[in-house]
Amino acid sequence: QGLCIVFPGRRAGLFLTKYLNEKYGTPIWMPSIYSIEDFIAELSELEIRDNLSLLFELYEVYKAVEGEEAESLDELVKWGATLLQDYNELDQYLVEPNKFFQYVNENRAIEVWSPDNPELTPYQQQYLRFWKSMGKYYSLFTQRLLEKKQAYQGLAYRKVAEALTEKKGEILPKQWEKVLFVGFNALSASEKKLMQVLLDDNKAEAFWDADEYYMNDELQEAGLFLREYRKEWKSPSFDWVSNNL
């Protein structure tokens, strides 16, 4: 009951539950079993909204910024979903927003610049203005959601990583004596931060599904991320590294 097991996805958790039922055959206290997404949702104080609801929230921000020049909701839907995905990855990988949007704006300006045509066309001006608005949309959008104690998935990941950095294992439910991270490989920056803090705080252990064949050979790309974790973290032993290949 004091154990929490976290997998990369929900499917592995379903199979673990099935095997535990088969093994014991009688009612037992099951450990808490989560996918990493559900684990973040459990730790977060924010309500994670669905994409459709988020599009409506984004449209309100878009109208506030663009005023009378704002397009209809139908038009925003065409590019809004892509923008939400970009924001999601931005936060999940803990990218610094101001630096990122400054880089994007400068990159787009270089993209349309030409020594033969120093004057920008109306279309190019509109194109640059759109990209310059991305940072403003992001700032107002995240602010609007946080004021309502809501988030999209990536924003929840960022806030949980920040809370863990500040409070370490204090944000875990009291009944969890230990968290087991099982079967992970390529982690986002926020997932890596989460695991790193809990491992260092002795609140977690990590179990890896790996083989020496690609773990120990620097030329094997399949072991790239795990080799990095083993080198950087030092603390966790890499249990369940087999030699079957």
Side-chain angles (χ1 to χ4, degrees), residues 62-107:
Y62 169 71
K63 286 195 300 181
V65 173
E66 302 300 335
E68 294 181 356
E69 297 183 11
E71 297 177 334
S72 68
L73 177 60
D74 290 344
E75 290 299 317
L76 177 130
V77 168
K78 295 177 182 178
W79 51 267
T82 302
L83 187 61
L84 288 177
Q85 182 59 35
D86 291 341
Y87 287 169
N88 190 65
E89 293 189 15
L90 178 79
D91 285 320
Q92 197 164 342
Y93 283 86
L94 304 180
V95 178
E96 206 289 307
N98 291 333
K99 291 182 180 179
F100 173 77
F101 288 115
Q102 181 182 354
Y103 169 79
V104 169
N105 291 336
E106 292 172 353
N107 186 272

Side-chain angles (χ1 to χ4, degrees), residues 151 175 214:
Q175 70 268 23
Y214 57 83

Side-chain angles (χ1 to χ4, degrees), residues 1-5 16-17 20 28-34 176:
Q1 191 177 6
L3 193 64
C4 175
I5 304 175
L16 177 62
T17 302
L20 287 174
I28 61 171
W29 287 110
M30 293 286 283
S32 300
I33 301 174
Y34 292 95
W176 292 351

Side-chain angles (χ1 to χ4, degrees), residues 33-234:
I33 301 174
Y34 292 95
S35 68
I36 185 64
E37 293 179 6
D38 295 334
F39 181 67
I40 293 292
E42 181 70 21
L43 297 185
S44 178
E45 298 178 349
L46 305 171
E47 176 193 357
I48 300 178
R49 302 288 301 276
D50 62 272
N51 281 347
L52 183 59
S53 300
L54 291 168
L55 279 173
F56 283 112
E57 296 288 351
L58 180 61
Y59 186 61
E60 293 302 317
V61 168
Y62 169 71
K63 286 195 300 181
V65 173
E66 302 300 335
E68 294 181 356
E69 297 183 11
E71 297 177 334
S72 68
L73 177 60
D74 290 344
E75 290 299 317
L76 177 130
V77 168
K78 295 177 182 178
W79 51 267
T82 302
L83 187 61
L84 288 177
Q85 182 59 35
D86 291 341
Y87 287 169
N88 190 65
E89 293 189 15
L90 178 79
D91 285 320
Q92 197 164 342
Y93 283 86
L94 304 180
V95 178
E96 206 289 307
N98 291 333
K99 291 182 180 179
F100 173 77
F101 288 115
Q102 181 182 354
Y103 169 79
V104 169
N105 291 336
E106 292 172 353
N107 186 272
R108 293 296 179 262
I110 292 173
E111 184 180 296
V112 300
W113 177 81
S114 170
D116 299 326
N117 298 293
E119 293 294 328
L120 298 179
T121 67
Y123 174 79
Q124 289 173 323
Q125 292 175 2
Q126 182 181 5
Y127 177 77
L128 291 180
R129 183 176 175 276
F130 174 79
W131 283 103
K132 285 181 180 179
S133 297
M134 293 298 100
K136 188 180 296 185
Y137 296 156
Y138 171 85
S139 178
L140 294 174
F141 181 52
T142 54
Q143 179 183 339
R144 180 184 177 91
L145 290 176
L146 292 174
E147 286 174 352
K148 297 182 176 183
K149 294 192 176 300
Q150 298 172 349
Y152 46 89
Q153 190 177 83
L155 184 58
Y157 272 63
R158 183 190 287 274
K159 291 304 176 182
V160 167
E162 290 174 353
L164 270 172
T165 302
E166 180 181 348
K167 301 179 181 179
K168 301 190 184 306
E170 295 176 21
I171 76 168
L172 295 176
K174 299 295 184 184
Q175 70 268 23
W176 292 351
E177 297 174 10
K178 186 77 74 172
V179 177
L180 303 185
F181 293 100
V182 182
F184 285 83
N185 188 346
L187 302 169
S188 68
S190 54
E191 292 167 344
K192 184 178 176 182
K193 172 64 71 175
L194 182 153
M195 288 181 63
Q196 189 173 15
V197 170
L198 292 179
L199 287 166
D200 290 344
D201 200 34
N202 201 32
K203 295 289 186 180
E205 295 180 31
F207 295 86
W208 312 93
D209 182 15
D211 194 277
E212 292 179 6
Y213 175 75
Y214 57 83
M215 275 289 292
N216 298 333
D217 186 349
E218 296 289 332
L219 297 179
Q220 293 290 343
E221 294 181 356
L224 174 65
F225 295 104
L226 296 183
R227 286 194 296 271
E228 288 181 359
Y229 307 148
R230 182 170 59 182
K231 182 179 179 181
E232 291 177 20
W233 292 351
K234 297 179 182 177

